[in-house]
Amino acid sequence: MAQDGKADVARTPALTRGRILRAAGKIVRDDGASALSMRTLGARLGVTPMAIYRHFAGRDELLVALLDEEFARVGWPELPEPGSERAVAVLLVLHRELAIRPWVLDALTRGDLMAPSAASATDDILGSLLAAGCSPEQAAHRYSAAWRLILGAAQLDARSVQAERHLDRPTVQETVRRDAAVNGLDALATCGSALAEQRASFDIRAALVLIVYGAEH
């Protein structure tokens, strides 16, 4: 019996940071960042939560490590020289990556977390805006507005797809636009078709150009 017990211990993988991250990564990819807890992760790994705390100080530290791993997987195209167009290009990559990683979006919109390695992208965007002639204040303002745009757009797209998948009626937005003229909403009636087109295929690049180039365009 003692020998069998030793064999069982030998077959149990050691609890390492890598093993923890792999298990945590599967949880967040399958169920979102909000599903990750030390208790859930411990049950998945067959250990107590306290065993995980020996490797990570808490859930936030674990999520930050996962975010860093995800940022390292981003595929970067060849980028233009520093300037407004490069800032737009980097922002578009970030938007694309958020769209295909819903759990990252979930993590970023639920607190103050970020991947520390992602600071290189922020630095690139700000440097490009400075190279385009922006003051530090203008660069910060345009970066912040653009970041909020891509974060909000990706979140809205993800939630809209999820909600509309189960709808068997027109959306409330469609109904309001349809009845705009009857309700005296003249501008909405005039722009209704254009709004519907934008909702179906929002041109994120054109919107980023408006923000990044500012009054220059």
Side-chain angles (χ1 to χ4, degrees):
M1 292 294 291
Q3 287 181 347
D4 289 342
K6 288 180 180 178
D8 288 340
V9 170
R11 285 195 296 268
T12 302
L15 188 63
T16 63
R17 282 179 65 92
R19 186 175 166 225
I20 292 168
L21 286 169
R22 285 191 294 274
K26 185 167 186 351
I27 291 172
V28 297
R29 285 191 296 272
D30 289 348
D31 302 312
S34 57
L36 181 64
S37 71
M38 295 308 214
R39 185 181 297 276
T40 301
L41 182 57
R44 180 73 61 92
L45 290 164
V47 301
T48 65
M50 285 307 300
I52 301 171
Y53 281 114
R54 296 190 187 102
H55 297 270
F56 293 93
R59 178 178 177 274
D60 282 355
E61 183 179 311
L62 181 53
L63 277 171
V64 166
L66 287 171
L67 288 169
D68 258 339
E69 281 195 340
E70 286 297 324
F71 188 77
R73 295 189 182 102
V74 172
W76 291 93
E78 186 174 348
L79 295 168
E81 291 299 313
S84 297
E85 188 56 31
R86 183 182 177 105
V88 170
V90 175
L91 286 160
L92 284 172
V93 171
L94 296 178
H95 178 260
R96 179 197 71 199
E97 296 299 317
L98 285 172
I100 62 177
R101 291 174 166 85
W103 82 262
V104 173
L105 191 62
D106 187 21
L108 294 179
T109 55
R110 287 177 181 266
D112 63 345
L113 303 181
M114 68 170 289
S117 57
S120 60
T122 302
D123 185 73
D124 198 328
I125 296 165
L126 290 170
S128 291
L129 289 168
L130 291 171
C134 289
S135 67
E137 293 75 20
Q138 288 173 323
H141 184 257
R142 293 183 193 185
Y143 165 77
S144 297
W147 172 242
R148 283 166 172 75
L149 169 66
I150 61 174
L151 198 63
Q155 186 176 38
L156 181 60
D157 287 346
R159 290 185 177 178
S160 294
V161 168
Q162 185 177 24
E164 291 175 11
R165 186 177 295 133
H166 305 291
L167 278 181
D168 57 0
R169 57 166 175 77
T171 66
V172 175
Q173 292 96 328
E174 289 168 337
T175 302
V176 170
R177 286 196 297 268
R178 182 195 65 200
D179 300 335
V182 175
N183 293 321
L185 303 171
D186 297 335
L188 182 55
T190 300
C191 299
S193 296
L195 283 172
E197 183 178 341
Q198 279 290 310
R199 190 168 192 274
S201 55
F202 180 61
D203 190 342
I204 186 72
R205 188 184 191 286
L208 286 170
V209 166
L210 286 174
I211 293 172
V212 168
Y213 284 82
E216 299 152 21
H217 275 57

CSV table of all heavy atoms in Angstrom, one decimal, residues 24-58:
chain,number,residue,atom,x,y,z
A,24,ALA,N,-5.4,28.2,-15.4
A,24,ALA,CA,-6.1,29.5,-15.3
A,24,ALA,C,-6.5,30.0,-16.7
A,24,ALA,O,-7.6,30.6,-16.9
A,24,ALA,CB,-5.3,30.5,-14.5
A,25,GLY,N,-5.5,29.8,-17.6
A,25,GLY,CA,-5.8,30.3,-19.0
A,25,GLY,C,-7.0,29.6,-19.6
A,25,GLY,O,-7.8,30.2,-20.3
A,26,LYS,N,-7.1,28.3,-19.3
A,26,LYS,CA,-8.3,27.5,-19.9
A,26,LYS,C,-9.6,28.0,-19.3
A,26,LYS,O,-10.6,28.2,-20.0
A,26,LYS,CB,-8.1,26.0,-19.6
A,26,LYS,CG,-9.2,25.2,-20.3
A,26,LYS,CD,-8.9,23.7,-20.3
A,26,LYS,CE,-9.9,22.9,-21.0
A,26,LYS,NZ,-11.1,23.5,-21.5
A,27,ILE,N,-9.6,28.3,-18.0
A,27,ILE,CA,-10.8,28.9,-17.3
A,27,ILE,C,-11.2,30.2,-17.9
A,27,ILE,O,-12.4,30.3,-18.3
A,27,ILE,CB,-10.5,29.0,-15.8
A,27,ILE,CG1,-10.4,27.7,-15.1
A,27,ILE,CG2,-11.7,29.8,-15.2
A,27,ILE,CD1,-10.0,27.7,-13.7
A,28,VAL,N,-10.3,31.1,-18.1
A,28,VAL,CA,-10.7,32.4,-18.6
A,28,VAL,C,-11.1,32.4,-20.1
A,28,VAL,O,-12.0,33.1,-20.5
A,28,VAL,CB,-9.6,33.5,-18.4
A,28,VAL,CG1,-9.3,33.7,-16.9
A,28,VAL,CG2,-8.3,33.1,-19.1
A,29,ARG,N,-10.4,31.5,-20.9
A,29,ARG,CA,-10.8,31.4,-22.3
A,29,ARG,C,-12.2,30.7,-22.4
A,29,ARG,O,-12.9,31.1,-23.3
A,29,ARG,CB,-9.7,30.6,-23.0
A,29,ARG,CG,-8.5,31.4,-23.3
A,29,ARG,CD,-7.6,30.7,-24.3
A,29,ARG,NE,-7.1,29.4,-23.7
A,29,ARG,CZ,-6.0,29.3,-23.0
A,29,ARG,NH1,-5.3,30.4,-22.7
A,29,ARG,NH2,-5.6,28.1,-22.5
A,30,ASP,N,-12.5,29.8,-21.6
A,30,ASP,CA,-13.8,29.1,-21.7
A,30,ASP,C,-14.9,29.9,-21.1
A,30,ASP,O,-16.0,29.9,-21.6
A,30,ASP,CB,-13.7,27.7,-21.0
A,30,ASP,CG,-12.8,26.7,-21.7
A,30,ASP,OD1,-12.5,27.0,-22.8
A,30,ASP,OD2,-12.5,25.7,-21.1
A,31,ASP,N,-14.7,30.6,-19.9
A,31,ASP,CA,-15.8,31.2,-19.2
A,31,ASP,C,-15.6,32.6,-18.9
A,31,ASP,O,-16.5,33.2,-18.2
A,31,ASP,CB,-16.0,30.4,-17.9
A,31,ASP,CG,-16.2,28.9,-18.1
A,31,ASP,OD1,-17.1,28.6,-18.9
A,31,ASP,OD2,-15.6,28.1,-17.5
A,32,GLY,N,-14.5,33.3,-19.3
A,32,GLY,CA,-14.3,34.7,-19.0
A,32,GLY,C,-13.5,34.9,-17.8
A,32,GLY,O,-13.4,34.1,-16.9
A,33,ALA,N,-12.9,36.1,-17.7
A,33,ALA,CA,-12.0,36.5,-16.5
A,33,ALA,C,-12.8,36.4,-15.2
A,33,ALA,O,-12.3,36.1,-14.2
A,33,ALA,CB,-11.4,37.8,-16.7
A,34,SER,N,-14.1,36.8,-15.2
A,34,SER,CA,-14.9,36.8,-14.0
A,34,SER,C,-15.1,35.4,-13.4
A,34,SER,O,-15.4,35.3,-12.2
A,34,SER,CB,-16.3,37.4,-14.3
A,34,SER,OG,-16.9,36.7,-15.3
A,35,ALA,N,-14.9,34.4,-14.2
A,35,ALA,CA,-15.0,33.0,-13.7
A,35,ALA,C,-13.8,32.5,-12.9
A,35,ALA,O,-13.9,31.5,-12.2
A,35,ALA,CB,-15.3,32.0,-14.8
A,36,LEU,N,-12.7,33.3,-13.0
A,36,LEU,CA,-11.5,32.8,-12.3
A,36,LEU,C,-11.5,33.2,-10.8
A,36,LEU,O,-11.6,34.4,-10.5
A,36,LEU,CB,-10.3,33.4,-13.0
A,36,LEU,CG,-8.9,33.0,-12.5
A,36,LEU,CD1,-8.6,31.6,-12.6
A,36,LEU,CD2,-7.8,33.9,-13.1
A,37,SER,N,-11.3,32.2,-10.0
A,37,SER,CA,-11.1,32.4,-8.6
A,37,SER,C,-10.1,31.4,-8.1
A,37,SER,O,-9.9,30.4,-8.7
A,37,SER,CB,-12.4,32.3,-7.8
A,37,SER,OG,-12.8,30.9,-7.8
A,38,MET,N,-9.5,31.7,-7.0
A,38,MET,CA,-8.5,30.7,-6.5
A,38,MET,C,-9.1,29.4,-6.1
A,38,MET,O,-8.6,28.3,-6.2
A,38,MET,CB,-7.8,31.3,-5.2
A,38,MET,CG,-6.9,32.6,-5.6
A,38,MET,SD,-5.8,32.3,-6.9
A,38,MET,CE,-4.4,33.3,-6.5
A,39,ARG,N,-10.4,29.5,-5.6
A,39,ARG,CA,-11.1,28.3,-5.3
A,39,ARG,C,-11.4,27.4,-6.5
A,39,ARG,O,-11.1,26.2,-6.5
A,39,ARG,CB,-12.4,28.6,-4.5
A,39,ARG,CG,-13.1,27.4,-4.0
A,39,ARG,CD,-14.4,27.8,-3.3
A,39,ARG,NE,-14.2,28.7,-2.2
A,39,ARG,CZ,-13.9,28.2,-1.0
A,39,ARG,NH1,-13.8,26.9,-0.8
A,39,ARG,NH2,-13.7,29.0,0.0
A,40,THR,N,-11.9,28.1,-7.6
A,40,THR,CA,-12.2,27.3,-8.8
A,40,THR,C,-10.9,26.8,-9.4
A,40,THR,O,-10.9,25.6,-9.9
A,40,THR,CB,-12.8,28.3,-9.8
A,40,THR,OG1,-14.0,28.8,-9.2
A,40,THR,CG2,-13.2,27.6,-11.1
A,41,LEU,N,-9.9,27.6,-9.4
A,41,LEU,CA,-8.6,27.1,-9.9
A,41,LEU,C,-8.0,26.0,-9.1
A,41,LEU,O,-7.5,25.0,-9.7
A,41,LEU,CB,-7.6,28.3,-10.0
A,41,LEU,CG,-6.2,28.0,-10.6
A,41,LEU,CD1,-6.3,27.5,-12.0
A,41,LEU,CD2,-5.4,29.3,-10.6
A,42,GLY,N,-8.1,26.0,-7.8
A,42,GLY,CA,-7.6,25.0,-7.0
A,42,GLY,C,-8.4,23.7,-7.2
A,42,GLY,O,-7.7,22.6,-7.3
A,43,ALA,N,-9.7,23.7,-7.4
A,43,ALA,CA,-10.5,22.5,-7.7
A,43,ALA,C,-10.0,22.0,-9.0
A,43,ALA,O,-9.9,20.7,-9.2
A,43,ALA,CB,-11.9,22.9,-7.7
A,44,ARG,N,-9.8,22.8,-10.0
A,44,ARG,CA,-9.3,22.3,-11.3
A,44,ARG,C,-8.0,21.6,-11.2
A,44,ARG,O,-7.7,20.6,-11.9
A,44,ARG,CB,-9.3,23.5,-12.3
A,44,ARG,CG,-8.8,23.2,-13.7
A,44,ARG,CD,-9.9,22.5,-14.5
A,44,ARG,NE,-11.1,23.3,-14.6
A,44,ARG,CZ,-11.4,24.1,-15.6
A,44,ARG,NH1,-10.5,24.2,-16.6
A,44,ARG,NH2,-12.5,24.8,-15.7
A,45,LEU,N,-7.1,22.1,-10.4
A,45,LEU,CA,-5.7,21.6,-10.3
A,45,LEU,C,-5.6,20.5,-9.2
A,45,LEU,O,-4.6,19.8,-9.2
A,45,LEU,CB,-4.8,22.7,-9.9
A,45,LEU,CG,-4.5,23.7,-10.9
A,45,LEU,CD1,-3.8,25.0,-10.3
A,45,LEU,CD2,-3.6,23.2,-12.0
A,46,GLY,N,-6.7,20.3,-8.4
A,46,GLY,CA,-6.7,19.3,-7.4
A,46,GLY,C,-5.8,19.7,-6.2
A,46,GLY,O,-5.2,18.8,-5.6
A,47,VAL,N,-5.8,21.0,-5.9
A,47,VAL,CA,-5.0,21.5,-4.8
A,47,VAL,C,-5.8,22.5,-4.0
A,47,VAL,O,-6.9,22.9,-4.4
A,47,VAL,CB,-3.7,22.2,-5.2
A,47,VAL,CG1,-2.8,21.2,-6.0
A,47,VAL,CG2,-4.0,23.4,-6.1
A,48,THR,N,-5.3,22.9,-2.8
A,48,THR,CA,-6.0,23.9,-2.0
A,48,THR,C,-5.7,25.3,-2.6
A,48,THR,O,-4.6,25.5,-3.2
A,48,THR,CB,-5.6,23.8,-0.6
A,48,THR,OG1,-4.2,24.2,-0.5
A,48,THR,CG2,-5.9,22.4,0.0
A,49,PRO,N,-6.5,26.3,-2.4
A,49,PRO,CA,-6.2,27.6,-2.8
A,49,PRO,C,-4.9,28.1,-2.2
A,49,PRO,O,-4.1,28.8,-2.8
A,49,PRO,CB,-7.4,28.5,-2.3
A,49,PRO,CG,-8.5,27.5,-2.3
A,49,PRO,CD,-7.9,26.2,-1.9
A,50,MET,N,-4.6,27.7,-1.0
A,50,MET,CA,-3.4,28.1,-0.3
A,50,MET,C,-2.1,27.7,-1.1
A,50,MET,O,-1.1,28.4,-1.1
A,50,MET,CB,-3.3,27.6,1.1
A,50,MET,CG,-4.2,28.4,2.1
A,50,MET,SD,-4.0,30.2,2.1
A,50,MET,CE,-2.3,30.3,2.5
A,51,ALA,N,-2.2,26.5,-1.7
A,51,ALA,CA,-1.1,26.1,-2.5
A,51,ALA,C,-0.8,27.0,-3.7
A,51,ALA,O,0.4,27.2,-4.1
A,51,ALA,CB,-1.4,24.6,-3.0
A,52,ILE,N,-1.8,27.6,-4.3
A,52,ILE,CA,-1.7,28.5,-5.4
A,52,ILE,C,-1.1,29.8,-4.9
A,52,ILE,O,-0.2,30.4,-5.6
A,52,ILE,CB,-3.0,28.8,-6.1
A,52,ILE,CG1,-3.6,27.5,-6.6
A,52,ILE,CG2,-2.9,29.8,-7.2
A,52,ILE,CD1,-5.0,27.6,-7.1
A,53,TYR,N,-1.4,30.2,-3.7
A,53,TYR,CA,-0.9,31.5,-3.1
A,53,TYR,C,0.6,31.4,-2.9
A,53,TYR,O,1.2,32.5,-2.7
A,53,TYR,CB,-1.6,31.8,-1.8
A,53,TYR,CG,-3.0,32.4,-2.0
A,53,TYR,CD1,-4.2,31.7,-1.6
A,53,TYR,CD2,-3.2,33.7,-2.5
A,53,TYR,CE1,-5.4,32.3,-1.7
A,53,TYR,CE2,-4.4,34.2,-2.7
A,53,TYR,CZ,-5.5,33.5,-2.3
A,53,TYR,OH,-6.8,34.1,-2.5
A,54,ARG,N,1.2,30.2,-2.9
A,54,ARG,CA,2.6,30.2,-2.7
A,54,ARG,C,3.3,30.6,-4.0
A,54,ARG,O,4.5,30.9,-4.0
A,54,ARG,CB,3.0,28.7,-2.4
A,54,ARG,CG,2.5,28.2,-1.0
A,54,ARG,CD,3.1,26.9,-0.7
A,54,ARG,NE,2.5,26.4,0.6
A,54,ARG,CZ,1.6,25.4,0.6
A,54,ARG,NH1,1.3,24.8,-0.6
A,54,ARG,NH2,1.1,25.0,1.7
A,55,HIS,N,2.6,30.6,-5.1
A,55,HIS,CA,3.1,31.0,-6.4
A,55,HIS,C,2.6,32.4,-6.9
A,55,HIS,O,3.3,33.1,-7.6
A,55,HIS,CB,2.8,30.0,-7.5
A,55,HIS,CG,3.4,28.6,-7.2
A,55,HIS,ND1,4.6,28.3,-7.6
A,55,HIS,CD2,2.9,27.6,-6.5
A,55,HIS,CE1,4.8,27.0,-7.2
A,55,HIS,NE2,3.8,26.6,-6.5
A,56,PHE,N,1.4,32.8,-6.5
A,56,PHE,CA,0.8,34.0,-6.9
A,56,PHE,C,0.2,34.7,-5.7
A,56,PHE,O,-0.6,34.0,-4.9
A,56,PHE,CB,-0.3,33.8,-8.0
A,56,PHE,CG,0.3,33.4,-9.3
A,56,PHE,CD1,0.4,32.0,-9.6
A,56,PHE,CD2,0.8,34.3,-10.2
A,56,PHE,CE1,0.9,31.6,-10.8
A,56,PHE,CE2,1.3,33.9,-11.4
A,56,PHE,CZ,1.4,32.5,-11.7
A,57,ALA,N,0.4,36.0,-5.5
A,57,ALA,CA,-0.1,36.7,-4.3
A,57,ALA,C,-1.6,36.8,-4.2
A,57,ALA,O,-2.2,36.9,-3.2
A,57,ALA,CB,0.5,38.1,-4.2
A,58,GLY,N,-2.2,36.7,-5.4
A,58,GLY,CA,-3.7,36.8,-5.5
A,58,GLY,C,-4.2,36.7,-6.9
A,58,GLY,O,-3.4,36.5,-7.8
